Amino acid sequence: MRRRGFQVVKELGGHGIGRTIHEPPAVPNYPDISAQHKLTEGLVITIEADRRRRHRETFMLDKDGWTYRTADGSLSAHYEHTIVITRGEPVLLTAA
Protein backbone atom coordinates (compact mmCIF):
# COMPACT_ATOMS: atom_id res chain seq x y z
CA MET A 1 0.00 0.00 0.00
CA ARG A 2 2.89 2.38 0.64
CA ARG A 3 4.00 2.12 -2.97
CA ARG A 4 0.60 3.54 -3.92
CA GLY A 5 0.89 6.44 -1.47
CA PHE A 6 -1.23 5.07 1.40
CA GLN A 7 -0.15 5.20 5.05
CA VAL A 8 -1.41 3.67 8.32
CA VAL A 9 -3.72 5.90 10.34
CA LYS A 10 -2.10 5.60 13.76
CA GLU A 11 -4.73 7.79 15.47
CA LEU A 12 -7.37 5.08 14.95
CA GLY A 13 -7.28 1.36 15.69
CA GLY A 14 -9.06 -1.66 17.08
CA HIS A 15 -10.54 -2.10 20.54
CA GLY A 16 -12.24 -4.48 22.90
CA ILE A 17 -15.97 -5.19 22.69
CA GLY A 18 -18.09 -6.13 25.67
CA ARG A 19 -21.03 -4.39 27.30
CA THR A 20 -20.27 -1.37 25.11
CA ILE A 21 -18.91 -1.15 21.58
CA HIS A 22 -15.59 0.55 22.42
CA GLU A 23 -13.81 -0.91 25.45
CA PRO A 24 -10.21 -1.58 26.44
CA PRO A 25 -7.86 -2.83 25.29
CA ALA A 26 -6.74 -0.50 22.52
CA VAL A 27 -5.53 -2.63 19.59
CA PRO A 28 -3.04 -0.72 17.42
CA ASN A 29 -3.17 -1.32 13.67
CA TYR A 30 0.62 -1.21 13.38
CA PRO A 31 3.50 -2.87 15.27
CA ASP A 32 3.63 -1.14 18.67
CA ILE A 33 6.06 -2.54 21.24
CA SER A 34 4.52 -0.33 23.92
CA ALA A 35 1.19 -2.23 23.68
CA GLN A 36 1.29 -4.37 26.82
CA HIS A 37 -2.25 -5.79 27.13
CA LYS A 38 -2.38 -9.60 27.28
CA LEU A 39 -5.00 -11.26 25.12
CA THR A 40 -6.88 -13.60 27.46
CA GLU A 41 -9.40 -16.34 26.74
CA GLY A 42 -12.90 -14.93 26.17
CA LEU A 43 -11.72 -11.46 25.19
CA VAL A 44 -13.50 -10.05 22.13
CA ILE A 45 -11.55 -7.50 20.10
CA THR A 46 -11.69 -5.75 16.77
CA ILE A 47 -8.80 -5.51 14.38
CA GLU A 48 -9.25 -2.30 12.40
CA ALA A 49 -6.98 -1.39 9.54
CA ASP A 50 -7.31 2.26 8.56
CA ARG A 51 -5.32 3.72 5.68
CA ARG A 52 -5.20 7.17 4.18
CA ARG A 53 -3.78 8.55 0.98
CA ARG A 54 -1.58 11.31 2.39
CA HIS A 55 0.45 10.76 5.54
CA ARG A 56 0.39 14.33 6.85
CA GLU A 57 -3.33 14.88 6.52
CA THR A 58 -5.39 14.30 9.65
CA PHE A 59 -8.87 12.93 10.10
CA MET A 60 -11.77 14.99 11.33
CA LEU A 61 -15.00 13.81 12.88
CA ASP A 62 -18.05 14.47 10.71
CA LYS A 63 -21.17 16.29 11.94
CA ASP A 64 -22.86 12.97 12.71
CA GLY A 65 -20.33 12.36 15.52
CA TRP A 66 -19.41 8.94 14.12
CA THR A 67 -17.91 9.28 10.64
CA TYR A 68 -14.28 10.25 10.13
CA ARG A 69 -13.14 12.01 6.97
CA THR A 70 -9.76 13.15 5.76
CA ALA A 71 -9.34 16.88 6.26
CA ASP A 72 -8.50 17.44 2.59
CA GLY A 73 -11.01 14.94 1.13
CA SER A 74 -8.26 12.52 0.01
CA LEU A 75 -8.89 8.79 -0.22
CA SER A 76 -8.98 6.55 2.85
CA ALA A 77 -10.07 2.99 3.61
CA HIS A 78 -11.28 1.15 6.72
CA TYR A 79 -11.46 -2.61 7.28
CA GLU A 80 -12.63 -4.28 10.47
CA HIS A 81 -12.84 -7.81 11.84
CA THR A 82 -14.14 -9.00 15.20
CA ILE A 83 -12.25 -11.82 16.88
CA VAL A 84 -12.82 -13.94 20.00
CA ILE A 85 -9.65 -14.98 21.80
CA THR A 86 -9.83 -18.66 22.78
CA ARG A 87 -7.51 -21.17 24.40
CA GLY A 88 -6.70 -22.52 20.92
CA GLU A 89 -7.11 -20.69 17.64
CA PRO A 90 -8.92 -17.33 17.70
CA VAL A 91 -12.45 -17.29 16.23
CA LEU A 92 -13.09 -14.79 13.46
CA LEU A 93 -16.71 -13.66 13.89
CA THR A 94 -16.82 -11.51 10.75
CA ALA A 95 -15.66 -14.17 8.28
CA ALA A 96 -17.61 -14.27 5.03
Side-chain angles (χ1 to χ4, degrees):
M1 296 208 48
R2 275 190 197 166
R3 289 184 301 198
R4 303 217 184 247
F6 285 86
Q7 299 289 329
V8 171
V9 177
K10 291 187 176 183
E11 299 90 345
L12 303 174
H15 50 82
I17 294 181
R19 297 190 186 277
T20 62
I21 193 168
H22 294 107
E23 292 187 355
V27 181
N29 60 17
Y30 59 93
D32 183 357
I33 61 170
S34 69
Q36 298 292 317
H37 191 88
K38 291 191 184 254
L39 301 179
T40 57
E41 185 176 358
L43 181 65
V44 180
I45 60 171
T46 65
I47 304 294
E48 298 186 36
D50 295 282
R51 303 292 185 263
R52 64 179 159 214
R53 182 65 181 198
R54 294 190 181 99
H55 183 63
R56 290 183 293 234
E57 299 300 325
T58 57
F59 274 82
M60 59 185 198
L61 191 59
D62 201 18
K63 293 179 206 171
D64 65 8
W66 185 258
T67 305
Y68 279 90
R69 299 182 185 278
T70 55
D72 67 351
S74 61
L75 296 174
S76 65
H78 172 87
Y79 301 92
E80 181 172 339
H81 280 293
T82 303
I83 299 169
V84 178
I85 305 302
T86 68
R87 185 176 299 247
E89 294 290 319
V91 177
L92 179 61
L93 298 178
T94 50

